Amino acid sequence: MSCWMPGCPALSMCRGLAALPITCLERAKDLKTRLGILLHKPELGHRIGTSSKLQLGSRRRDSSREVLEWRESFDQLLKSKSGVTAFHTFLKTEFSEENLDFWLACEDFKKTRSKTKLASKANRIFEEFVQNEAPREVNIDHETREITRKNLSGATSACFNEAQAKTRTLMEKDSYPRFLKSASYQDMTKQATSCGMSKRSHT
């Protein structure tokens, strides 16, 4: 929709978006889609003013900041849903995504409250990731594997703690540093930095 009224907030917002680098606009594609829907509704078009601009900019800043925070610590990466997704995609290129999948399965397992479900989930996780020749066997030592096997006899939410900790340490010391040096993450940080600098220049 074209806005012909002088000083129309929708028009000024469109000009502001057009001035941003393409990378910033791509990273905020879903936000732009929502914004486009609003701008095409006559009854809502003129309600988009300063508050909406601030909200849009804030979300972009949050996204860029989050990407940069992943390099601060492995914990920061695991706390971020998009960070976990990016890390999982990287692990696939190294054929080691089972380590993260096991860690995530353990996190979900610890939230289980039903004793019946706890036991069935424990067996399923053990058979898929821990036992010898498991379809997606994780790289843990024999002692940890046997401790985990014994824990299954009286499954509690903590029965995978040792195996999960070993897998986490392996990812943190081995896969995580390579992820930070990967071309995909380097590209994301460049985009995040570029967007951050562009936003500061437009404020």
Side-chain angles (χ1 to χ4, degrees):
M1 165 178 127
S2 298
C3 183
W4 51 268
M5 293 179 63
C8 174
L11 180 60
S12 60
M13 170 164 274
C14 288
R15 286 174 176 167
L17 289 172
L20 289 172
I22 293 175
T23 51
C24 289
L25 297 178
E26 288 175 345
R27 291 184 60 79
K29 185 177 179 181
D30 60 327
L31 296 176
K32 290 197 301 172
T33 300
R34 297 191 192 109
L35 179 61
I37 293 172
L38 290 174
L39 290 175
H40 280 79
K41 292 183 178 180
E43 72 276 13
L44 294 175
H46 291 279
R47 297 180 190 175
I48 301 175
T50 305
S51 61
S52 293
K53 288 182 183 178
L54 292 174
Q55 184 178 33
L56 183 64
S58 176
R59 289 180 182 178
R60 285 179 180 157
R61 283 193 297 273
D62 288 345
S63 178
S64 298
R65 189 184 305 116
E66 187 176 1
V67 169
L68 298 176
E69 285 175 350
W70 299 346
R71 62 190 179 187
E72 293 179 5
S73 71
F74 193 46
D75 280 333
Q76 286 295 115
L77 178 69
L78 293 179
K79 288 177 184 177
S80 164
K81 288 184 179 180
S82 53
V84 168
T85 299
F87 187 49
H88 190 271
T89 300
F90 168 76
L91 291 177
K92 278 187 173 182
T93 67
E94 297 200 330
F95 306 101
S96 59
E97 69 271 18
E98 70 278 355
N99 293 320
L100 181 58
D101 287 334
F102 171 64
W103 187 87
L104 292 171
C106 291
E107 288 296 288
D108 178 69
F109 173 76
K110 287 186 283 190
K111 297 174 185 177
T112 305
R113 293 292 174 261
S114 166
K115 289 186 178 180
T116 303
K117 289 183 179 180
L118 203 67
S120 62
K121 276 188 177 183
N123 283 308
R124 188 163 61 250
I125 292 172
F126 184 84
E127 290 171 2
E128 183 176 359
F129 296 103
V130 182
Q131 70 179 8
N132 284 319
E133 305 300 325
R136 309 182 66 201
E137 184 178 353
V138 293
N139 187 13
I140 55 175
D141 58 88
H142 175 73
E143 183 181 357
T144 302
R145 198 183 311 277
E146 287 307 304
I147 289 173
T148 306
R149 185 193 304 278
K150 291 176 182 178
N151 288 343
L152 293 182
S153 59
T156 68
S157 59
C159 69
F160 289 106
N161 280 5
E162 189 163 349
Q164 185 187 20
K166 291 285 179 71
T167 303
R168 185 193 183 287
T169 299
L170 178 65
M171 290 191 292
E172 184 174 17
K173 292 185 176 180
D174 187 32
S175 303
Y176 174 60
R178 289 201 300 275
F179 167 72
L180 295 182
K181 295 176 183 177
S182 69
S184 58
Y185 181 64
Q186 290 298 315
D187 184 55
M188 283 188 280
T189 57
K190 286 177 183 177
Q191 289 185 31
T193 303
S194 173
C195 288
M197 293 175 64
S198 174
K199 286 161 196 165
R200 284 194 293 272
S201 69
H202 281 83
T203 54

